[in-house]
Amino acid sequence: MLSIENLQKTYTGPQGRSVLQGLSFQLPAGDYAAIMGESGTGKSTLLNLIAGLDTADGGSIRLDGTDLTRLSEAERTRLRRARMGFIFQAFHLLPHLTVGQNVALPLALNGTPKRHREGRAAAMLDAVGLADRARSYPRELSGGQMQRVAVARALVHEPQLLLADEPTGNLDQDSAAQMLELLRQQVRERGCTAILVTHSRQAAESADRIYQLGATGLQLIGQAA
Ligand SMILES: Nc1ncnc2c1ncn2[C@@H]1O[C@H](COP(=O)(O)OP(=O)(O)OP(=O)(O)O)[C@@H](O)[C@H]1O
């Protein structure tokens, strides 16, 4: 479902360096993969390329057969909004919007009619255990709660692919464990394909498969029993 072939990325400029040198990787639909690796090996670069937020210098990234590297920027944006969800380390909730409005945002960006947005956002908040916080603002929530809102926002539009970049990086151990359990459960329930980038082996263990990104590409280093 996600198929990456010979992906290459070099940053130009004074700090320029070749980061991905012909990376190939297949992720079947519904799989949940964790990607680990030393700092600077290119994990965020890889996620940005898959998300279409940056452009590769060579190779292809196919999502259900559509090669993202051949789309225009506008087409990539449309595909990203329709078919991908994101969770970041720093939550990235919009402070001036309520929790409910934050969760409904991907629906608004996708052009979902207004009358459907509130109900879907409410159902999604219920699924992450925050049904009673729709009218709160992000600043009124704990870090763990904010990341649960981010999970709801990432999944509300039923994306095929979920990309999570260090989602437990700002959470204490208990909140991190709860958030990973929630993520795993939601990904399973929705049959979504997911990639979790993390430095934490414990976090990576929540995925079906664990890969290590290094100079030679992605290597499978662990698999759920
Ligand atoms: N915009 C950029 N311009 C130049 N170099 C960059 C740029 N973005 C990233 N790099 C370099 O590319 C390499 C890979 O960066 P990337 O952020 O993808 O690594 P990472 O594996 O996600 O690291 P970390 O685990 O520390 O988040 C690093 O050496 C980084 O300095």
Side-chain angles (χ1 to χ4, degrees), residues 11 15 17 19 38-45 199:
Y11 289 108
Q15 299 296 315
R17 54 169 297 218
V19 181
E38 310 255 301
S39 185
T41 46
K43 302 180 297 296
S44 298
T45 299
H199 283 112

Side-chain angles (χ1 to χ4, degrees), residues 120-201:
R120 284 179 64 180
M124 197 63 235
L125 273 175
D126 192 27
V128 302
L130 291 171
D132 55 340
R133 303 310 296 264
R135 287 170 195 280
S136 300
Y137 283 87
R139 64 175 175 276
E140 297 166 332
L141 303 183
S142 69
Q145 289 170 331
M146 279 197 258
Q147 202 58 314
R148 281 196 273 153
V149 174
V151 171
R153 182 185 55 183
L155 293 171
V156 72
H157 55 306
E158 298 181 3
Q160 284 167 276
L161 182 63
L162 176 79
L163 301 175
D165 197 353
E166 230 19 288
T168 55
N170 279 355
L171 302 181
D172 62 57
Q173 223 175 348
D174 284 352
S175 307
Q178 281 173 22
M179 192 265 166
L180 288 167
E181 180 51 37
L182 173 72
L183 196 57
R184 187 183 154 80
Q185 171 217 333
Q186 288 295 319
V187 162
R188 283 244 183 294
E189 245 171 52
R190 289 156 203 277
C192 177
T193 307
I195 299 179
L196 165 75
V197 163
T198 181
H199 283 112
S200 152
R201 178 76 195 207

Side-chain angles (χ1 to χ4, degrees), residues 1-222:
M1 180 252 183
L2 177 69
S3 175
I4 295 176
E5 292 293 336
N6 197 23
L7 192 65
Q8 292 159 43
K9 178 68 183 175
T10 299
Y11 289 108
T12 50
Q15 299 296 315
R17 54 169 297 218
S18 180
V19 181
L20 302 176
Q21 297 159 312
L23 181 118
S24 297
F25 175 59
Q26 317 269 326
L27 190 60
D31 252 37
Y32 184 4
I35 298 182
M36 303 188 69
E38 310 255 301
S39 185
T41 46
K43 302 180 297 296
S44 298
T45 299
L46 177 62
L47 281 196
N48 286 341
L49 293 175
I50 296 172
L53 294 167
D54 198 359
T55 51
D57 299 311
S60 62
I61 303 170
R62 288 198 169 76
L63 186 60
D64 274 352
T66 305
D67 185 354
L68 309 190
T69 63
R70 295 187 177 270
L71 301 181
S72 68
E73 196 172 336
E75 288 169 331
R76 280 203 311 271
T77 301
R78 259 201 306 281
L79 183 142
R80 177 169 61 245
R81 287 178 176 172
R83 288 160 65 174
M84 297 186 197
F86 299 91
I87 304 172
F88 306 94
Q89 176 169 352
F91 319 131
H92 289 203
L93 301 178
L94 298 181
H96 58 283
L97 296 184
T98 65
V99 161
Q101 288 166 336
N102 266 282
V103 174
L105 201 58
L107 300 174
L109 291 172
N110 270 338
T112 304
K114 208 168 176 195
R115 64 184 181 281
H116 297 315
R117 288 184 216 153
E118 207 174 314
R120 284 179 64 180
M124 197 63 235
L125 273 175
D126 192 27
V128 302
L130 291 171
D132 55 340
R133 303 310 296 264
R135 287 170 195 280
S136 300
Y137 283 87
R139 64 175 175 276
E140 297 166 332
L141 303 183
S142 69
Q145 289 170 331
M146 279 197 258
Q147 202 58 314
R148 281 196 273 153
V149 174
V151 171
R153 182 185 55 183
L155 293 171
V156 72
H157 55 306
E158 298 181 3
Q160 284 167 276
L161 182 63
L162 176 79
L163 301 175
D165 197 353
E166 230 19 288
T168 55
N170 279 355
L171 302 181
D172 62 57
Q173 223 175 348
D174 284 352
S175 307
Q178 281 173 22
M179 192 265 166
L180 288 167
E181 180 51 37
L182 173 72
L183 196 57
R184 187 183 154 80
Q185 171 217 333
Q186 288 295 319
V187 162
R188 283 244 183 294
E189 245 171 52
R190 289 156 203 277
C192 177
T193 307
I195 299 179
L196 165 75
V197 163
T198 181
H199 283 112
S200 152
R201 178 76 195 207
Q202 206 181 346
E205 303 271 349
S206 67
D208 301 324
R209 262 174 271 284
I210 307 175
Y211 294 88
Q212 172 103 22
L213 182 59
T216 54
L218 276 170
Q219 278 189 326
L220 186 66
I221 58 164

